[in-house]
């Protein structure tokens, strides 16, 4: 059995928790209080704020689907096909009410567009985007919240 | 009535769209020569060349103004090169217009041309984890059609749009483009044929998403005084809108993975796409009720419906009715995409905003053979480039 290390996918370092309860991590401006995702450094996106200091802000784990679709054709590089052959996957844009953000992400494998609706509640999970010999590259994904509650 | 910031469209020209596989410069020069002939001026008369850049053809594509000027033969004229993704042509026209209005030149040539690879538009090669356009492909497999489909799904779930509605846009545009000699696809289609094409990004099918094409387009812009020496009653540019979004932009936009936050700032009165046309209407002093036609960026069939609302041709949620009533078909109240649109052209990024202006110019001159909007007096173009580039040109005669 090979042992691979779970690491953030290239470019997403620090964007979500790797251990414990899954959560996206954005930035919060210490001057105006706005949220930013992906994480930000340097200057605030709010044109009426000159803030340049940010703190990490774990984002709401649950949100509502703003819209959704799927990828039925294999995307071009730098997308990496996980496994032997391309399997279509769903994608959702999810509205986090407290942060006033809409965040895109894949939907967990096995959930298709026929199981999604605008306004449905979903929650964030962390899983493997693709692997090489030494690493499982991790990414956030959206998972529908069933009436019985979270199933992660 | 002539506006104080009007400039004239003295000439327009295009190279046919297709998958020719030749150097983009060839298409640009063919379009430029056609526009110069149409204007009745010589290349050596041009005082400023404004190029719309292509990112897929190496260094010559990044300095397109100089590339086209050198290909036509150096004359010492000034050049500039603009990149604003799909809006590059509008930005290049704006550079020419402002130079003319500033009195720094009388006549300018604007050119855009592209040679595109087959399939999905993809980012340049190499690992670039600080580039949002690289990240969306790597982290999500999120392509351009992903965004088109998110907007389309909103229409379905919020406004009750149907697969048939989307297919009807394609059928309409395919019919419009039949008579356009510059269109790549000139073939009628049916709702059944569109719905039988493979699903790409649910709810959008292959025939509802525009292809990528080779092509070139050019316009000669000049001062009204210069125009009077060469023609009578020229088509005039009454507005060019190149606005960017206002914070917080709460609509997810290509190539971003997230929107701005609305936690501490009020959401703008108009979403970005509506603000593009609004700025053009304000600048021209002309409203949507006065338009004879519109050329809009139908990257997907569903996106054309969004534009109806963003241009103020109908109220939010009423685009499907406008389409189904035949209002946007040739012969209707406000024909949209008489050229055939991207449905018939496919996208040649830097040429596309200029091609829209070519079509409206031919319409306003009564030269749109086989697809003419009778008595056309005013037309608007609308388009948007990724990374927040608005593009709208309002033309009158």
């Amino acid at each position: 059995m090979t042992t691979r290390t779970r690491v953030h996918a290239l470019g997403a370092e620090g964007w979500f928790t790797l251990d414990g309860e899954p959560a996206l991590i954005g930035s919060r401006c210490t001057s105006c209080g706005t949220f930013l995702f992906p994480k930000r450094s340097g200057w605030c996106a709010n044109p009426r704020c000159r803030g340049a200091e940010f703190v990490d802000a774990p984002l709401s784990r649950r949100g509502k689907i703003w819209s959704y679709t799927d990828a039925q054709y294999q995307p071009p590089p730098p997308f990496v096909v996980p496994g032997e052959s391309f399997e279509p996957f769903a994608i959702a844009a999810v509205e986090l009410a407290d942060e006033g953000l809409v965040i895109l992400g894949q939907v967990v494998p096995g959930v298709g567009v026929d199981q999604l609706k605008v306004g449905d509640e979903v929650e964030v999970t962390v899983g493997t985007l693709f692997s090489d010999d030494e690493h499982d590259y991790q990414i956030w994904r959206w998972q529908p919240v069933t009436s019985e509650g979270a199933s992660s | 009535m002539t506006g104080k910031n009007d400039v004239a469209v003295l000439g327009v020209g295009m190279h046919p769209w297709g998958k020719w596989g030749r150097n983009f410069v060839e298409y640009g020069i063919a379009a430029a020569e056609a526009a110069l002939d149409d204007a009745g001026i010589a290349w050596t008369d041009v005082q400023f060349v404004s190029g719309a850049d292509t990112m897929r053809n190496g260094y010559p594509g990044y300095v397109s103004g100089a590339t086209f000027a050198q290909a036509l033969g150096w004359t010492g004229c000034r050049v500039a090169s603009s990149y604003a993704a799909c809006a590059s042509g509008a930005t290049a026209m704006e550079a020419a217009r402002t130079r003319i209005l500033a009195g720094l030149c009388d006549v300018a040539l604007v050119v855009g041309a592209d040679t595109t690879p087959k399939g999905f538009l993809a980012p340049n090669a190499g690992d670039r984890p600080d580039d949002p356009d690289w990240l969306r492909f790597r982290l999500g497999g999120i392509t351009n059609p992903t965004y088109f489909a998110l907007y389309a799904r909103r229409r379905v779930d919020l406004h009750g749009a149907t697969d048939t509605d989307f297919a009807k846009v394609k059928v309409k545009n395919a019919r419009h483009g039949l008579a356009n000699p510059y269109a790549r696809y000139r073939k009628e289609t049916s709702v059944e044929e569109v719905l039988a094409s493979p699903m790409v990004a649910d709810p959008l099918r292959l025939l509802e998403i525009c292809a990528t094409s080779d092509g070139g387009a050019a316009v000669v812009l000049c001062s009204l005084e210069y125009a009077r020496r060469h023609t009578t009653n020229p088509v005039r540019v009454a507005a060019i809108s190149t606005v960017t979004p206002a914070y917080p932009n709460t609509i997810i936009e290509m190539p971003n993975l997230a929107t701005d936050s609305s936690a501490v700032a009020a959401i703008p009165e108009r979403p970005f796409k509506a603000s593009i046309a609004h700025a053009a209407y304000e600048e021209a002093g002309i409203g949507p009720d006065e338009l004879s036609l519109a050329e809009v960026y139908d990257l997907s069939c569903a996106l054309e419906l969004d534009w109806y609302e963003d241009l103020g041709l109908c109220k939010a949620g009423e685009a499907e009715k406008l389409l189904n009533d035949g209002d946007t078909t040739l012969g209707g109240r406000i024909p949209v995409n008489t050229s055939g649109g991207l449905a018939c052209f496919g996208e040649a990024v830097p040429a596309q905003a200029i091609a829209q202006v070519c079509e409206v110019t031919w319409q306003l001159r009564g030269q749109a053979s086989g697809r003419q909007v009778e008595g056309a007096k005013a037309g608007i173009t609308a388009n948007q480039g990724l990374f927040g580039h608005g593009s709208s040109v309002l033309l009158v005669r």
Side-chain angles (χ1 to χ4, degrees), chain B residues 62-284:
Chain B
Y62 308 149
V63 292
S64 60
T67 298
F68 295 131
Q70 186 178 19
L72 287 160
W74 289 124
T75 63
C77 73
R78 308 286 181 108
V79 300
S81 305
S82 299
Y83 192 69
C86 301
S88 298
T91 309
M93 286 185 275
E94 176 67 325
R97 179 179 78 144
T98 48
R99 198 164 174 86
I100 292 165
L101 291 175
L104 293 171
C105 78
D106 302 310
V107 58
L109 173 67
V110 185
V111 191
D114 208 358
T115 302
T116 54
K118 189 172 157 47
F120 286 112
L121 287 180
N124 293 330
D127 281 351
R128 285 193 319 287
D130 53 357
D131 176 352
D133 197 41
W134 185 91
L135 283 169
R136 55 142 169 166
F137 282 94
R138 179 59 157 256
L139 302 182
I142 291 163
T143 62
N144 294 6
T146 301
Y147 295 89
F148 313 155
L150 292 173
Y151 308 144
R153 174 55 63 182
R154 296 272 296 174
R155 294 208 71 84
V156 172
D157 279 23
L158 300 184
H159 300 317
T162 65
D163 287 353
T164 303
D165 293 329
F166 297 155
K168 279 182 176 171
V169 174
K170 176 73 171 195
V171 172
K172 169 184 74 73
N173 288 346
R175 193 169 298 144
H176 285 178
L178 278 178
N180 191 337
Y182 298 102
R184 174 177 171 189
Y185 304 104
R186 270 174 285 162
K187 184 173 163 288
E188 286 219 58
T189 187
S190 64
V191 167
E192 295 70 30
E193 187 180 23
V194 174
L195 294 182
S197 68
M199 194 70 85
V200 175
D202 189 283
L204 296 176
R205 293 175 165 83
L206 191 61
L207 289 180
E208 295 168 333
I209 296 169
C210 87
T212 59
S213 291
D214 296 1
V219 299
V220 174
L221 298 181
C222 68
S223 65
L224 296 184
E225 191 190 341
Y226 187 95
R228 271 192 289 276
R229 300 202 295 269
H230 290 81
T231 186
T232 54
N233 198 18
V235 170
R236 302 190 313 275
V237 176
I240 300 180
S241 164
T242 54
V243 295
T244 51
Y247 182 89
N249 183 3
T250 56
I251 308 290
I252 189 95
E253 301 268 6
M254 204 154 69
N256 299 330
L257 288 168
T259 62
D260 291 334
S261 162
S262 58
V264 303
I267 295 172
E269 185 186 349
R270 286 179 196 82
F272 177 44
K273 280 177 70 210
S275 76
I276 297 169
H278 180 75
Y281 292 138
E282 289 282 297
E283 189 171 294

Side-chain angles (χ1 to χ4, degrees), chain B residues 351-365:
Chain B
Q352 218 66 50
I354 302 170
Q356 290 181 321
V357 167
C358 292
E359 174 66 12
V360 175
T361 299
W362 283 318
Q363 288 286 357
L364 298 184
R365 287 175 178 171

Side-chain angles (χ1 to χ4, degrees), chain B residues 4-92:
Chain B
K4 67 179 169 51
N5 286 332
D6 285 5
V7 297
V9 181
L10 197 59
V12 293
M14 287 171 66
H15 181 284
W17 263 231
K19 212 70 178 177
W20 313 108
R22 300 200 300 271
N23 191 318
F24 78 98
V25 181
E26 214 180 294
Y27 315 139
I29 295 309
E33 290 190 329
L36 291 167
D37 287 349
D38 187 46
I41 65 167
W43 155 238
T44 48
D45 295 333
V46 171
Q47 298 159 347
F48 177 57
V49 176
S50 191
D53 287 353
T54 163
M55 292 293 116
R56 295 168 214 288
N57 293 276
Y59 218 126
Y62 308 149
V63 292
S64 60
T67 298
F68 295 131
Q70 186 178 19
L72 287 160
W74 289 124
T75 63
C77 73
R78 308 286 181 108
V79 300
S81 305
S82 299
Y83 192 69
C86 301
S88 298
T91 309

Side-chain angles (χ1 to χ4, degrees), chain A residues 4 16 18 22 25 30 47 51 67 82 88 98 106 115 126 135-136 144 148:
Chain A
R4 292 191 295 258
F16 49 87
L18 269 187
I25 300 168
T30 57
S67 193
D98 289 350
Q106 293 184 357
Q115 293 157 268
V126 170
H135 303 99
D136 287 326
E148 299 83 48

Side-chain angles (χ1 to χ4, degrees), chain B residues 281 291-296 311 313 334-339 360 378-382:
Chain B
Y281 292 138
L291 296 176
S292 315
L293 74 148
E295 282 285 305
V296 306
L311 290 180
L313 306 183
I334 172 75
V336 175
N337 283 338
T338 55
S339 68
V360 175
I380 195 169
T381 74

Side-chain angles (χ1 to χ4, degrees), chain A residues 20-36:
Chain A
E21 197 169 56
L24 290 168
I25 300 168
S27 297
R28 187 158 205 198
C29 175
T30 57
S31 300
C32 74
T34 199
F35 292 90
L36 303 108

